[in-house]
Amino acid sequence: VHSLFTFLSQQDWDVTRAEQCHEILKHKFLQCDVINKTTGEILGRRTKSTAELSTAEFSQYCDACRDWLVQMFGVIVPDPE
């Protein structure tokens, strides 16, 4: 999140807080369908909270964010220590 915030704010994007970057990444990678379990009908979509993710899912989310930042902007995010 911090790497994206730093990059976007330096490039004059309309981002003023790191929390906005967190929301951007969640919206991009954590969308899911709201499904009726009985009928299979899809009501719509929602954005998951990172708190809902298992450890493995959170790791996949972080990897997807890192990959996207490199591909989209050339921003390399260091692995957490």
Side-chain angles (χ1 to χ4, degrees):
V1 171
H2 180 71
S3 297
L4 177 60
F5 174 66
T6 300
F7 174 79
L8 293 180
S9 60
Q10 290 173 348
Q11 299 298 317
D12 292 329
W13 288 93
D14 186 21
V15 175
T16 57
R17 297 182 338 268
E19 180 62 26
Q20 292 170 317
C21 293
H22 180 64
E23 293 298 320
I24 290 167
L25 294 171
K26 284 189 340 179
H27 185 72
K28 180 150 189 69
F29 295 107
L30 298 180
Q31 291 285 310
C32 64
D33 291 331
V34 177
I35 301 171
N36 182 306
K37 293 177 184 179
T38 304
T39 66
E41 178 184 4
I42 298 173
L43 174 66
R45 295 189 55 79
R46 71 176 186 90
T47 302
K48 288 184 180 181
S49 165
T50 53
E52 294 177 64
L53 303 178
S54 68
T55 302
E57 290 170 329
F58 187 76
S59 179
Q60 291 170 346
Y61 166 69
C62 290
D63 289 345
C65 291
R66 279 191 203 97
D67 291 346
W68 179 73
L69 287 168
V70 168
Q71 292 171 3
M72 186 73 178
F73 302 113
V75 173
I76 296 172
V77 179
D79 288 330
E81 297 178 13

